[in-house]
Amino acid sequence: MSDQRQENWGSLRSDSAFDVIVVGGGINGIGVYRELALQGLRVILVERNDFCSGCSAAPSRMIHGGLRYLENGEFDLVRESLRERDALLKNAPHLVHPLPTVIPIKSMFSGLLNSAASFFGLSGQPSSRGALPIKLGLMLYDWVTRSRRLLPKHTFQGKKATRARWPKLMPDLRFSAVYHDAWISHPERLGIELISDVQKQAPNCVALNYAEVGARQSGGFDVKNLRTGETANVSARLVVNATGAWLDETIRQISGETDRERLVSGTKGSHLILDNDDLADALDGHMVYFENADGRVCIVFPYLGKVLAGSTDIRVKSAARVRCEDDERDYILESLRLVFPDLDVRADQIVFSYAGIRPLPKSDHDYTGRISRGHFTKRLVGPVPQLCMVGGKWTTFRAFAEQATDEVLAELGRPRQTNTLGLPIGGGQTFPKDTNRFETNLINEFAVRFDQARHLVRTYGAAAVKLQKFCFSQGNDQPIAGCALTENEVIYLIRNEFVETVSDLVLRRTSLAIDGSVSLDIIDQLTDLLRQERNLSSQEAERQRSDLIEELGDYHGVSEKTLESRNQNWSEECELARKPA
């Protein structure tokens, strides 16, 4: 067990009284944990698996205002989303970046009446959107941010100008529109940075992954350490249920109610990561935001040296671990061939796939795109009241946390002490605008390679200095073959970022899996480092290694054969590098 985990469990034993228990360590749970802790409350966050390992690990990686929400008449949601997007661009500039976006357009007026009807809630599936409804939507988008503009206003181009900039786009387009939103490079890391900020600013609060909470018949709650089986009894004045797609199951677990009407009705979204240089070049640094043949909006944009494409929107009956199935993979690939018909886009170019369940409010809409992406809370009475967080999305996690926190403060009769809208997150604190100079300073101070300095800055922001000081102090820092990581960097993550398994390292603390870098050799190196740091038995280390390999194959389309072939590819690249020119 890590020192961090031992300290947290020691804190439970010495003082088990909390103001609030937050159940669910996805981004909404982490957001409300941080928000409550900064108001002076003593809070415990309990997550059954790893932090940001469920739905929060499977977003589109867009931080956006929700252009298409305007069509649903959700103007307040768009306004809130744009405000939160701009806040994240300021508060986490090392992880959240501007994303220029192009919309290919085939007609002038198509979809105008449908959009108007949708705005008033009168229609189902949308028809193809032409230049005029898109223009109106983008004008509203620009108008909302008129007083605090961070990103450029939208522009329109005709066919000739569009084809000159994006010659591989569909030949039958007539116009294009360009506007800006944002993307997030490492969403799971943002969650960890929020928790780490709480650890520094409110050390009396506790965050536990791999733990489970249940109500005791005699009062209070049992928190069980799922890694050791240890149980601690805690008390709280209120519970915040932030378990997303599992919200209704958690209500039953905590309150024992089995006949309550469901609050959440999820939809499944799948995404692909492709290694296709031609597609990356065709995007020219932009996201393409386009309609598939069925009217669903799809996306494709450059991501960590690869290309991210998605997504599906399929109703699910109950919450469960999900994966991108073959028919969903084919749907996304066909959508790419529709918008880039001359490019060779194949399944064997996929280096990673992922899927998650969007925890949407229960809805009877036939067309899933019409289900609101908004959020609200539902208070349940009981010996300890339960506040349920329903809906929400990555972009608006802070606003949703603020809303829930205000309700908790009112319930407990406590005043708000601080506002987090302008509060920097993790490595966003003191992050310099001149990143090139920052990289140069790291190179000069610590004698790191250029590619390593860039990796550090783009992953950890201003915290790269602290991390690299640690790496330097340990001495004899060796690179992890086949990726940008070093051994001491991995040791730092193990000691400081709530790492319990090798899966945590590969899938969430680093981008090794999603960017297609992970191989059997890398898994072996990381497993050995974790074994040494935690004094794991050989059997436990092998079990974790096997679990990760199985998880990559079952849920991310990365087979053991693929991992083995990446060993060979890396060996061949090294051999070529050693040969004289």
Side-chain angles (χ1 to χ4, degrees), residues 445-462:
E445 184 175 357
F446 300 107
V448 297
R449 304 182 313 274
F450 170 77
D451 61 329
Q452 189 181 357
R454 176 150 292 186
H455 153 73
L456 290 168
V457 172
R458 294 184 177 184
T459 307
Y460 306 104

Side-chain angles (χ1 to χ4, degrees), residues 15 23 100 103 109 128 135 223 235 271-272 291 318 371 400 441 533 559 566 580:
D15 184 357
V23 186
I103 307 175
F109 300 106
S128 178
K135 178 70 175 178
V223 176
S235 64
H271 299 77
L272 307 176
E291 293 175 355
S318 60
I371 303 175
F400 196 7
N441 290 342
E533 277 295 302
S559 67
R566 289 176 183 173

